[in-house]
Amino acid sequence: MLVVMKKNAAPEQIEAAVSAIENRGLTARPIPGGERVAICILHNRGAVDASLFMQLPAVKEVIPVTRPFKLVSRESQPFDTIVDVGGTPIGNGHLVVMAGPCAIESEAGALEIAQIVKERGAHIFRGGAFKPRTSPYAFQGLGEEGLKILAKVRAETGMAVVTEAIDHEVFDLVEHYADIVQIGARNMQNFSLLRRAGKSRKPVLLKRGMAATIEEWLMAAEYIMEGGNNQVILCERGVRTFASHSRNTLDLSAIPVVRQESHLPIIVDPSHAAGFRDQVVPLGRAAVAVGCHGLIVEVHNAPEKALSDGAQSLYPDQFLELCRQIEAISSVYKTATNY
Ligand code: PEP
Ligand code: MN
């Protein structure tokens, strides 16, 4: 349920509506911005009687939120959320490019790749310090040392950094160093991790689980927003299908659906979708053409020597070409759709 206040509602009137809702044992979450203030009612069991709030001063209307995800829904917030990452806005129509290696392998390597991607068009640097690997024998990441290297990359290049918190145990540490905390596909429904992310003041990049429906994914985002963190960026990274020509199947239809259903920005990871570098550039182009707000891409200076995901990591020249092509597509997209 959404209690929509009149445009000129005074702060005391908004306060009074919040109190009226909370006095009934419900949670009131004001959603400021845009044309109006609306108050989303949460934690109701069953339908709420709209007439209880209709009569309050400066209330314009009381409308139901029909979706199971409330704060995430466009019904609650019609205008797009713009997540600010150290001065880089995500979701405002300007395409954001996050790029870097799958894993941070060494300081020199990370700094070199960071320079490469920055010069070629990246805005934000990616790199895993804690890696969720299928095999316990595979490279697990450098841990805190990797996070310190990411901090050095930020200091030397000015790029914000995104890196994954693979569990509750490392969340505080990752949160301390990262500009964006990534929650990976394997953890999309790790509800205690989502709750912890909800308490964070850092933006969260929530990847879609490899077998998750869009509703399950948006409900996972709802956990984070319900906890009080509105800075959520969604990331489509492909889902499991019967296909063997690619690592996953990039669900391009998810982008328009999510943009219709939610106000949160959505980016695409063509690298983990593809699994093979030759598919990454075409999938990146397609993702921009269906209206994503940005890409996150794996790039390595020597992919054949990478300690993880080398086969899907772009060579520097391929990344340059990707940036050139998506810039062109993005400008056509904006003109064609008036975005
Ligand atoms: C990653 O981005 O490093 C990663 C492990 O991706 P995903 O969670 O999408 O598999
Ligand atoms: Mn990877």
Side-chain angles (χ1 to χ4, degrees), residues 124-154:
I124 293 173
F125 185 69
R126 67 145 288 149
F130 294 93
K131 294 303 303 174
R133 302 305 300 277
T134 303
S135 164
Y137 308 115
F139 177 58
Q140 305 285 309
L142 297 180
E144 187 169 5
E145 192 196 334
L147 296 175
K148 288 185 175 155
I149 294 172
L150 283 165
K152 188 138 199 198
V153 166
R154 175 178 44 226

Side-chain angles (χ1 to χ4, degrees), residues 102 126 131-132 164 182 184-186 207 237 269 272 298:
C102 178
R126 67 145 288 149
K131 294 303 303 174
E164 180 169 350
Q182 178 172 324
R186 290 154 193 80
K207 292 192 133 192
R237 45 78 74 206
D269 174 349
H272 289 87
E298 288 183 344

